[in-house]
Amino acid sequence: MRGISRSGRAPLTRRALTVAALGAAASLPITAHATPGGGRHRPREEGAAPGERWHRPEFRGVWLATVANLDWPSAPGLPVARQQAELLAHLDKAVADRLNTVVFQARPTADALWPSRYEPWSEYLTGTQGRDPGWDPLGFAVREAHRRGLELHAWFNPYRIANHADPARLVPDHPARRHPEWVVTYGGKLLYNPGLPQVRRFVQDAIFDAVERYPIDAVHFDDYFYPYPVAGQTFDDDAAYAAYGGAFPDRASWRRDNVDRLVREVARRLRTGRGGLEALSAPGLGGRRARFGVSPFAVWRNRATDPSGSDTRAGTQTYDDLYADTRRWVREGWLDYVVPQVYWHLGFEVADYAKLVPWWADVVAGTRVRLCIGEALYKAGAPGQPAPWQDPAELSRHLAFARAHREVRGHFFFSAKVVAEDRVGAMAKVVADHYRHPVRTPW
């Protein structure tokens, strides 16, 4: 996803962005405010200013992508002070727009933006993988976000090793070089094989190194599980399937189970921690455990493929092509929140925003999973996008439409650099129309 756009034209497949690759009436709504000492408090209703409206808690999020320096830092190798200033500018912009959540990409390509015990420092900091940048970006981001009353969701890409296919370009002690049997080359990239139990354990351990070190508010995955299909190429997991797939009727079922296991196990580790069910494994704002969210490609299955699917004709279906049964993850309660990337305009014939939002609302109905909608701010005013995206009011109409569905608990915008640039004023209109007052997140 991040660093990757979704085509606005059929067939719906992904295209590279910069890398080879961004209402309903409330019941007891409460406004959240940053406190002078950091963190946030929940003001009592009697403390409201005269005439102030109370608003339903919701997520107002922004993705901050680090892969290929998409959002931050603006270039590798900048002085520490410059990197920190740029990061603070993104956080301050979020506050100015009355957002409440920043999704910070901490593990873009099997590397780390913190001093990990498992993986090398990211090349996107210094220009050289493994080189210590001289500071702790994730720790800094968590501290400064909380100081401003923002939640910090740490975003991890589970299986991507590199956006190239040359293992020799990785540092010599990289886990992918020490365990070449874990690696599959596909689509010009190096990827960990999701079918290997040892890969699943390693990926979790790498993630939980950050969870245990920092008071992050959530662990966040995007849409990358098994890779998006590349015409004429085969994802070579024959050996893993021969070793571990015998109990499954076909390879697709086995692959889906591999991804299910990763999601289920991450959820269990977050909820149990060291102290039993619902332990505070990573106390964030208010001393909560770290939550778990996933932002999938928005089409689980087309209705023509499955009567339970959405009324869409997408060229990609997460269940069939990425082996990600996103609907099951919601229904099983493995997630705390889900943010489908509904990156198309209202009325788009192949995948209509007005059809996908109600479909997802039905999926989460009756569960404890919070539904948010991923919004393609990067399309607003972009050359080559269809007429609806040239209208600065398109995104504001998205929020107005979603507000009619009580299950929708917020929106996330891709991405931070685009929020800052706001090419045609689409974000400014969202803020003016919908974000006039700050609100807390719906935990």
Side-chain angles (χ1 to χ4, degrees), residues 64-186:
L64 199 161
T66 60
V67 63
N69 302 100
L70 185 61
D71 290 319
W72 177 88
S74 60
L78 298 177
V80 171
R82 171 76 178 278
Q83 291 188 357
Q84 292 178 342
E86 289 184 354
L87 182 52
L88 292 178
H90 284 302
L91 300 182
D92 289 339
K93 176 59 174 171
V95 173
D97 285 346
R98 290 182 280 281
L99 306 183
N100 56 27
T101 304
V102 173
V103 185
F104 179 81
Q105 192 173 32
R107 184 180 185 264
T109 52
D111 51 10
L113 275 79
W114 76 95
S116 171
R117 293 176 293 173
Y118 294 90
E119 294 177 307
W121 282 105
S122 176
E123 67 180 296
Y124 305 124
L125 294 170
T126 64
T128 302
Q129 188 176 70
R131 179 180 294 173
D132 189 334
W135 66 299
D136 179 355
L138 179 56
F140 181 87
V142 172
R143 182 175 65 253
E144 294 298 329
H146 287 178
R147 185 173 291 165
R148 289 161 173 76
L150 298 165
E151 287 197 7
L152 194 291
H153 296 199
W155 165 15
F156 304 90
N157 188 290
Y159 298 122
R160 181 171 57 204
I161 298 171
N163 284 318
H164 59 75
D166 184 3
R169 291 173 57 183
L170 305 174
V171 293
D173 62 346
H174 194 290
R177 294 188 67 175
R178 289 188 282 110
H179 299 281
E181 72 279 8
W182 292 3
V183 179
V184 177
T185 302
Y186 182 82

Side-chain angles (χ1 to χ4, degrees), residues 86-418:
E86 289 184 354
L87 182 52
L88 292 178
H90 284 302
L91 300 182
D92 289 339
K93 176 59 174 171
V95 173
D97 285 346
R98 290 182 280 281
L99 306 183
N100 56 27
T101 304
V102 173
V103 185
F104 179 81
Q105 192 173 32
R107 184 180 185 264
T109 52
D111 51 10
L113 275 79
W114 76 95
S116 171
R117 293 176 293 173
Y118 294 90
E119 294 177 307
W121 282 105
S122 176
E123 67 180 296
Y124 305 124
L125 294 170
T126 64
T128 302
Q129 188 176 70
R131 179 180 294 173
D132 189 334
W135 66 299
D136 179 355
L138 179 56
F140 181 87
V142 172
R143 182 175 65 253
E144 294 298 329
H146 287 178
R147 185 173 291 165
R148 289 161 173 76
L150 298 165
E151 287 197 7
L152 194 291
H153 296 199
W155 165 15
F156 304 90
N157 188 290
Y159 298 122
R160 181 171 57 204
I161 298 171
N163 284 318
H164 59 75
D166 184 3
R169 291 173 57 183
L170 305 174
V171 293
D173 62 346
H174 194 290
R177 294 188 67 175
R178 289 188 282 110
H179 299 281
E181 72 279 8
W182 292 3
V183 179
V184 177
T185 302
Y186 182 82
K189 297 177 173 61
L190 299 174
L191 305 166
Y192 282 127
N193 186 345
L196 298 175
Q198 53 270 43
V199 164
R200 189 169 66 247
R201 286 193 298 269
F202 173 79
V203 166
Q204 290 182 54
D205 288 344
I207 291 168
F208 276 84
D209 183 68
V211 173
E212 292 166 2
R213 286 173 184 248
Y214 306 101
I216 63 175
D217 297 290
V219 166
H220 185 97
F221 289 171
D222 56 19
D223 54 330
Y224 287 104
F225 296 99
Y226 278 87
Y228 281 83
V230 177
Q233 297 197 25
T234 299
F235 187 85
D236 184 8
D237 56 1
D238 287 353
Y241 182 48
Y244 301 107
F248 296 89
D250 51 47
R251 192 180 305 233
S253 299
W254 170 71
R255 286 178 173 175
R256 273 188 292 275
D257 184 71
N258 294 329
V259 182
D260 283 351
R261 285 175 183 267
L262 176 72
V263 172
R264 183 173 63 244
E265 290 167 5
V266 169
R268 182 179 298 133
R269 286 182 68 167
L270 285 169
R271 290 173 181 172
T272 59
R274 298 190 183 97
L277 188 63
E278 300 296 325
L280 301 180
S281 61
L285 292 176
R288 298 188 302 261
R289 67 169 175 85
R291 309 290 183 160
F292 186 26
V294 174
S295 175
F297 183 77
V299 177
W300 171 72
R301 300 189 96 184
N302 295 317
R303 185 174 295 174
T305 305
D306 186 325
S308 299
S310 53
D311 184 11
T312 52
R313 298 192 303 279
T316 298
Q317 303 170 89
T318 64
Y319 182 93
D320 301 276
D321 297 308
L322 309 184
Y323 307 98
D325 191 352
T326 53
R327 189 181 71 151
R328 181 186 183 189
W329 305 345
V330 171
R331 294 192 163 188
E332 296 284 352
W334 296 341
L335 306 180
D336 294 296
Y337 70 98
V338 63
V339 193
Q341 299 169 36
V342 190
Y343 282 0
W344 307 291
H345 60 265
L346 286 158
F348 182 44
E349 184 178 357
V350 177
D352 189 348
Y353 187 96
K355 293 180 178 179
L356 280 161
V357 169
W359 186 87
W360 278 100
D362 287 342
V363 169
V364 304
T367 75
R368 295 191 297 173
V369 179
R370 274 72 165 183
L371 170 63
C372 305
I373 306 300
E375 301 286 353
L377 178 65
Y378 69 92
K379 288 186 175 181
Q385 291 296 333
W389 288 109
Q390 306 307 321
D391 182 352
E394 174 67 19
L395 277 183
S396 182
R397 287 193 288 267
H398 287 194
L399 272 67
F401 177 87
R403 187 159 290 162
H405 298 273
R406 187 168 181 79
E407 293 84 2
V408 177
R409 304 304 301 273
H411 301 260
F412 285 60
F413 301 91
F414 189 71
S415 63
K417 182 169 69 175
V418 185

Side-chain angles (χ1 to χ4, degrees), residues 1 3-5 15-22 70 378 414-415:
M1 172 189 78
I4 301 295
S5 69
R15 295 189 309 167
L17 179 60
T18 305
V19 188
L22 241 296
L70 185 61
Y378 69 92
F414 189 71
S415 63

